Every structure is written in structure tokens, then in C-alpha cells.
Amino acid sequence: MDYSLENHKGFIGRPASELPTPAFVLRLPVLKKNIETLHRDVENLGISFRPHVKTLKSLEVTKLMLAGGKYRSIVASTVAEINGAIPLVKEGILDECLYGLPIYPGIIPRLAELRKSLRILLMVDNEQQIAHLENINGQHSWDIFIKIDVGSHRAGIATNNPALQRLVQRAEASSAVNIYGFYCHAGHSYGGRSRSDAESLLNVEISHGLEAAKLLPANRNVVVSIGSTPTAHVAESLKTAAPANIKLELHAGNFPCNDLQQVSTGLVSEDAQASHVATEVCSVYPDRNEALVNAGVIALSRESSAYSGFGRAVDHPAWGVVRLSQEHGILGTEQKDQLVDEVFKVGQRVNLFCSHACITAAAFHVYYVVDENNIVRDTWVPWKGW
């Protein structure tokens, strides 16, 4: 059993410096500010908002992203996330969830059971998926988003692919599905390095979504859902006017937390990172000017960013994680005037910004939530599994 999972309540009210390591720490004031910023942008634009719960996978953060029921829809990547959010349905602040992977036969019975509790929408990008839904269709049809590939080449169909029109026609002819909208996600926006990069991809998302919507009758009400965390960070620059039958919706997931990948886009500051991994120095090696901390691949992941290595020391920005093995993280620096035995000692606490919070958070069974004085005020237990 994970030590934090067994003992986390005992650390509430204590300084973060007393936490067991490695530990995943959330700075609540920063997290709330990040959420409020995006909510303000959405409000000013007058569009809908559907947060993705995949980053922190927890009841508490999901409730904050929904603004206590002001926004009533989510995206989830796993059935475990949907199950975890059911208490919010019972609280009366959540109505529906989009299952964020293109649908496959093995998951349909579980989703069918879940829609006894809340409305479930499906993602479709292939005619075969509709055939499977027809084969097991019950009394009610499924509302679907058709996934549009806007350049990430992860899932979806490009608008210039004849298969998209065939898919729309297939869906329109089927009694098993109803086209609810078109879903665009520029996952490659994480590789951008400027505001103009993100704005360009935001325009790609909206233009491709609107182009896809033209495959339906002009009087048909349809949702165009756009977004990724980088493009959501520039949502206030959205200028495209949608036709009267189009309802625009923004989706994003990483924005409460942020990380080095988000900082690398040039859209948020280092101070906007709400999470870090607390570690402890196990040893120092003056001969090679490196130190060892007790957080390796499992705790940090091998995700990268524009910063070299796999994480950066919060209080020692010249130092980062230069190598990893399963439970070992090696701190190093490119600055010749930085000497390891003058900076780090065995037993010293070192907080690390991570490259990709979604992947890092998934390794931890408990999040320690601290206030502006680094006192643990709460502990959140995330949803695990698939």
C-alpha cells in the first residue's frame, strides 16, 4: 500500500517540508487563479465550456473547473474518471460526459451502464464504429461528436478527406446515432513556442470545425468543440463568428495545473505552475557535479519540454533532472560556476517542476494541497485505472 494513501490525513496542517517524498504537491491559490482566468475568458467570449478531467482526475478539481455547476459538461478519457465524477451528478452540478476516445466495442457495455446515471456522448471517426453501435443498439440512440483531425494525426478525420463526408452520411442514415457536434483538438499546439503559434492553431481548430459543420443542413443545430490547453490560453483572441446554428464550445484539461510544457509555449509564466514534485537528495557527486534525488521515471515521467532534461529545480533554476532511471533522478547543470556541493546536501528537500503534469500526476495516489504559506490544507485522492 502506498504510504501517502495510508497516512495522508495526518499531514494536514503541517508544513510541506514535512511531507514524505516523493510527493505531488498542488499550490491551491495558483490552481484557483488558473481556473478563474480561463473561466473569465470563456465568459467574455460568450461560449460554452467543457473541461477535460484527465490531468488531475479528482472530484475537487473537477468541481472547481465546473465552477460549482455553471458549466455542466466534461470530457473523460477513462471510465474510471466518469465513475469518479458521478457524485457531482448527485450534487446537481454535472449533466453529461463525453468519452474522449473514439468508441470501440469492448467499452460500449460499460458506457451504456453509466448512462443510467448521466448523459454519455461518444466520439466517432470511423464508419465501423457506427456499425458496432447498431449491432448492440438498445432502445435509445447515442449522441456523438465526430472527431476532426486538425494536424495532430492522433485521431479523427481531416476535413479534406472524402471519408469525412461518407462518415457524416453514414451517421445521418443510422438510427443508432445522432450527430451532436464536431470535435477539434490541436494536440500539436504543445510544440508551439509563441502566442502567435497558439493563435494560429486556434484558428485552425475553429475553421476546420466550421468547415465540417457545413456537411450538415444549415438549419441544423450543432456544437463545434475546440481547444487544447495552449489554444485555450489564447481563447480571448478568438475572432471568428459562427453561423447562428453553431454553438461554440471550448475544451481544455491541463490549464488548472500547467507545467514546463505549457511554460515552453510562451503563454504562461513559471509562477503559473500549480504543481511540483517534492523530493529529497539521496547523495551528491562533486567529481561529476551531480546530485541524486529520490524521484525517477515513475515519479516524473520521461516527458520533455523546451527546457533540457525532465524537470527543473523550483528554487535552483540552474539545475534540472538530466538523467532518469526507475526511482533515481540525477540533477545537473550546464552552468560551470554552479558547484553541486555548494548547492545540495544529503537530506535536502528539492521541489521539481515537471514537464507534463498529466503524466506525472498519474503516478501519485495522493495530492497534497498547500496554501500560500506552504501549509498542507487538504489532501485529494485521484481516480485511478481505466
Side-chain angles (χ1 to χ4, degrees):
M1 178 70 76
D2 179 74
Y3 180 83
S4 282
L5 190 57
E6 287 187 302
N7 299 282
H8 60 96
K9 291 297 184 184
F11 290 94
I12 295 176
R14 295 165 63 177
S17 59
E18 296 181 7
L19 290 175
T21 59
F24 191 78
V25 180
L26 287 171
R27 295 190 295 158
L28 187 59
V30 178
L31 184 139
K32 285 184 173 180
K33 182 180 178 181
N34 292 340
I35 293 173
E36 290 164 1
T37 297
L38 189 55
H39 283 173
R40 184 171 60 250
D41 290 342
V42 168
E43 181 79 12
N44 290 340
L45 286 167
I47 63 177
S48 299
F49 180 53
R50 182 186 297 269
H52 203 312
V53 302
K54 70 183 180 69
T55 299
L56 292 176
K57 299 176 183 272
S58 60
L59 209 56
E60 295 86 354
V61 177
T62 302
K63 186 181 294 189
L64 290 172
M65 292 194 294
L66 291 172
K70 181 176 182 179
Y71 310 105
R72 308 184 67 85
S73 307
I74 60 173
V75 192
S77 292
T78 68
V79 169
E81 293 164 12
I82 305 175
N83 271 320
I86 294 297
L88 300 181
V89 178
K90 296 176 180 177
E91 282 188 41
I93 65 174
L94 176 64
D95 295 333
E96 70 175 45
C97 177
L98 167 64
Y99 181 68
L101 287 178
I103 197 65
Y104 51 97
I107 203 69
I108 295 172
R110 296 171 67 191
L111 293 173
E113 184 66 25
L114 278 167
R115 73 171 173 172
K116 297 176 182 177
S117 299
L118 79 166
R119 184 185 185 193
I120 299 291
L121 288 77
L122 305 181
M123 191 85 77
V124 168
D125 67 359
N126 191 293
E127 292 183 57
Q128 295 179 42
Q129 295 153 353
I130 296 176
H132 280 292
L133 290 169
E134 289 171 337
N135 289 337
I136 63 172
N137 188 35
Q139 194 172 7
H140 303 291
S141 63
W142 293 89
D143 290 329
I144 63 170
F145 271 101
I146 292 179
K147 179 70 177 287
I148 305 301
D149 181 1
V150 298
S152 298
H153 306 317
R154 183 173 69 181
I157 310 176
T159 52
N160 62 359
N161 187 335
L164 177 60
Q165 184 171 6
R166 293 195 298 270
L167 177 60
V168 170
Q169 292 171 345
R170 179 74 171 82
E172 287 288 88
S174 176
S175 61
V177 300
N178 172 62
I179 298 176
Y180 180 84
F182 296 90
Y183 190 96
C184 304
H185 172 71
H188 52 308
S189 62
Y190 280 62
R193 293 295 177 258
S194 68
R195 184 177 185 85
S196 63
D197 287 345
E199 289 177 344
S200 174
L201 286 172
L202 176 66
N203 288 327
V204 168
E205 288 176 333
I206 183 66
S207 63
H208 284 226
L210 294 178
E211 185 66 24
K214 291 178 182 178
L215 294 172
L216 294 174
N219 62 351
R220 173 81 165 272
N221 291 330
V222 64
V223 174
V224 171
S225 189
I226 60 173
S228 65
T229 292
T231 58
H233 280 145
V234 297
E236 77 279 4
S237 69
L238 188 63
K239 299 293 191 297
T240 304
N245 67 312
I246 302 294
K247 178 182 178 182
L248 285 182
E249 172 186 278
L250 183 71
H251 55 258
N254 186 285
F255 69 97
C257 223
N258 292 317
D259 48 36
L260 291 174
Q261 288 186 355
Q262 297 302 323
V263 177
S264 297
T265 65
L267 302 172
V268 298
S269 67
E270 286 197 1
D271 290 342
Q273 295 176 93
S275 67
H276 63 261
V277 176
T279 74
E280 192 167 344
V281 176
C282 303
S283 192
V284 293
Y285 308 98
D287 56 320
R288 63 178 198 249
N289 206 35
E290 293 177 338
L292 170 66
V293 294
N294 63 335
V297 175
I298 303 300
L300 295 172
S301 86
R302 285 197 187 275
E303 292 284 291
S304 60
S305 69
Y307 293 81
S308 61
F310 308 98
R312 306 299 300 178
V314 175
D315 297 320
H316 304 281
W319 294 81
V321 181
V322 296
R323 296 193 308 282
L324 291 166
S325 55
Q326 183 168 331
E327 304 295 349
H328 301 66
I330 305 299
L331 299 181
T333 181
E334 296 177 350
Q335 297 187 18
K336 302 300 183 184
D337 61 339
Q338 292 277 318
L339 301 178
V340 68
D341 50 359
E342 294 179 359
V343 180
F344 300 113
K345 308 294 182 188
V346 172
Q348 182 176 335
R349 295 298 183 106
V350 179
N351 295 328
L352 298 173
F353 285 134
C354 63
S355 293
H356 191 173
C358 305
I359 311 301
T360 296
F364 291 87
H365 295 270
V366 173
Y367 307 151
Y368 290 97
V369 183
V370 301
D371 63 15
E372 61 277 7
N373 297 313
N374 281 321
I375 303 299
V376 178
R377 295 305 179 190
D378 204 354
T379 53
W380 298 344
V381 177
W383 310 314
K384 291 292 186 182
W386 284 270

